[in-house]
Amino acid sequence: MKKSMGPRTLAFPTPVWVVGTYDKEGRPNVMTAAWAGVCCSKPPCLAVSLRKATYTYGNIMLRQAFTISVPSEAYVQVADYLGMVSGKEVDKFAAAKLTPVRSELVDAPYVQEFPLILECKVLHTVEIGLHTQFIGEILDVKADAAVLGEKGLPDIEKVKPLVFGPEVRTYHGLGKYLGEAFSLGRKI
Amino acid sequence: MKKSMGPRTLAFPTPVWVVGTYDKEGRPNVMTAAWAGVCCSKPPCLAVSLRKATYTYGNIMLRQAFTISVPSEAYVQVADYLGMVSGKEVDKFAAAKLTPVRSELVDAPYVQEFPLILECKVLHTVEIGLHTQFIGEILDVKADAAVLGEKGLPDIEKVKPLVFGPEVRTYHGLGKYLGEAFSLGRKI
């Protein structure tokens, strides 16, 4: 028997991605977002939704660019912090002891300490309601050499991305390997 | 030193969500999607991106509704299967021994065996490229009594959602609890 929970954002899991932008003075800012995901294969695109009240919203509207830096598990405290305070009031890179790196492809900075980076230019801006969705074309992905696995791709078990549970508000690590996609299903 | 991987959908992690729809004859269909995420808090919305070639794409265009059924870890083989074959050729509910339940709120079926369900009506359709993004307003969330935890919300550790690694094509379970959001960051 299923129990009704009402209309709410109870969808498991979501990512924990850190959005990097420059403000109008060129100061780097970062904020954590969970309302996000991949949204197209060709061109490769991802979407991230932000409230208009955030500093990052204004920065993306201005620069039409952002980066996603994927924090590894060891940075869970930092990732949470970056979602709690506003770049309007705090230099979050300095406060969290993170190093901004200027992207050579888009007008946005990324986080040097995080193992996986996606550099995006805005393709579409979708007004939904409280949140505005920015669809960014992924111009490049960069990964630390230390997290590379077979075939030169980043190994997700080395990246150790965070996993978020909306509404229940919990962070989790990546769990055990369960099998290979487009392969396991052949047994059905 | 970060290594360039080129423009690709290498973003960790993504969800593994099963999209339920009716076709024009009213036959229930399900397919697995990973290009998806929450995209707005008010109204509560999620987005799922599909190729026009999928059977589900045509069904959503016709019915303007879909459900998301979140498979638990035990259904990883089934979830993979539902992303490998097309509803044009196969009755996937029957083949995977799943039970379709008609939503009372939207014109779409969901999967009885999966612990967490979101019923959505289409608010926006965004043409991006190979994929079309459907933004659905979440009209209700339903959860099995067996996965409920504190405060009557579903416990993510009981739901055991799957986690996907795009391009590396691996499924993982949910990992260990790392802490509470909007709380851990206070220590920075």
Side-chain angles (χ1 to χ4, degrees):
Chain A
M1 184 64 192
K2 290 192 166 33
K3 196 177 161 189
S4 171
M5 309 270 120
R8 51 201 306 175
T9 52
L10 260 170
F12 300 156
T14 74
V16 178
W17 289 349
V18 169
V19 186
T21 54
Y22 285 121
D23 72 6
K24 62 181 188 297
E25 272 85 39
R27 284 178 300 220
N29 184 49
V30 267
M31 76 166 279
T32 301
W35 289 179
V38 176
C39 62
C40 189
S41 296
K42 288 182 189 176
C45 292
L46 58 80
V48 60
S49 290
L50 302 170
R51 287 176 298 112
K52 284 193 170 66
T54 61
Y55 201 48
T56 298
Y57 171 89
N59 293 352
I60 296 181
M61 290 301 280
L62 189 71
R63 306 273 179 170
Q64 293 294 303
F66 62 91
T67 62
I68 296 294
S69 299
V70 179
S72 54
E73 200 177 295
Y75 282 94
V76 63
Q77 256 188 44
V78 167
D80 193 45
Y81 169 78
L82 299 176
M84 289 175 71
V85 296
S86 173
K88 286 173 193 165
E89 284 125 37
V90 186
D91 176 345
K92 291 195 264 184
F93 269 104
K97 300 186 174 65
L98 297 174
T99 313
V101 179
R102 178 176 292 276
S103 165
E104 291 178 4
L105 296 171
V106 301
D107 189 12
Y110 61 82
V111 180
Q112 184 178 291
E113 287 79 3
F114 294 178
L116 186 65
I117 308 297
L118 298 101
E119 296 158 279
C120 303
K121 70 166 183 188
V122 174
L123 269 194
H124 299 282
T125 301
V126 186
E127 297 294 342
I128 305 175
L130 181 63
H131 287 76
T132 300
Q133 184 192 53
F134 294 103
I135 295 176
E137 181 178 349
I138 302 164
L139 298 190
D140 194 27
V141 179
K142 291 180 168 63
D144 284 342
V147 300
L148 297 185
E150 288 172 29
K151 303 175 198 163
L153 291 176
D155 181 337
I156 191 169
E157 293 187 338
K158 291 180 181 171
V159 171
K160 295 184 191 294
L162 293 165
V163 177
F164 183 60
E167 306 227 5
V168 296
R169 294 182 161 207
T170 57
Y171 293 111
H172 290 260
L174 184 76
K176 67 172 186 289
Y177 174 74
L178 297 173
E180 194 189 341
F182 310 106
S183 169
L184 277 182
R186 287 196 198 115
K187 293 170 196 162
I188 300 285
Chain B
M1 185 61 193
K2 289 191 168 29
K3 196 178 162 188
S4 171
M5 310 268 122
R8 52 202 305 176
T9 53
L10 259 172
F12 300 155
T14 75
V16 178
W17 289 349
V18 169
V19 185
T21 54
Y22 286 121
D23 73 5
K24 61 181 189 298
E25 272 86 37
R27 286 179 299 221
N29 185 50
V30 266
M31 76 166 278
T32 301
W35 288 180
V38 176
C39 63
C40 189
S41 296
K42 287 181 189 176
C45 292
L46 58 80
V48 59
S49 290
L50 303 170
R51 287 176 298 111
K52 284 194 172 66
T54 62
Y55 201 47
T56 299
Y57 170 89
N59 293 353
I60 297 180
M61 289 300 280
L62 190 70
R63 306 273 179 170
Q64 294 293 303
F66 61 92
T67 63
I68 296 294
S69 299
V70 179
S72 55
E73 199 176 297
Y75 283 93
V76 62
Q77 255 187 45
V78 168
D80 193 45
Y81 168 78
L82 300 176
M84 289 174 71
V85 297
S86 174
K88 286 173 194 165
E89 284 124 38
V90 187
D91 177 345
K92 291 194 263 185
F93 269 103
K97 299 186 175 62
L98 297 175
T99 313
V101 179
R102 178 177 292 275
S103 164
E104 293 178 3
L105 296 172
V106 302
D107 189 11
Y110 61 82
V111 179
Q112 185 178 290
E113 288 78 4
F114 294 178
L116 185 66
I117 308 296
L118 298 101
E119 296 158 278
C120 303
K121 70 168 183 186
V122 173
L123 270 195
H124 299 283
T125 301
V126 187
E127 297 295 341
I128 305 177
L130 181 63
H131 286 76
T132 300
Q133 180 188 234
F134 294 103
I135 294 175
E137 181 178 348
I138 302 164
L139 298 190
D140 195 27
V141 179
K142 291 179 168 63
D144 284 343
V147 300
L148 297 184
E150 289 172 28
K151 302 175 199 165
L153 290 176
D155 181 336
I156 191 169
E157 293 187 338
K158 291 179 180 169
V159 172
K160 295 184 191 293
L162 293 165
V163 177
F164 183 58
E167 307 227 5
V168 296
R169 296 183 160 206
T170 57
Y171 293 110
H172 289 260
L174 184 76
K176 68 172 185 289
Y177 173 75
L178 298 174
E180 194 189 342
F182 309 105
S183 169
L184 276 182
R186 288 197 197 115
K187 294 171 195 160
I188 300 287

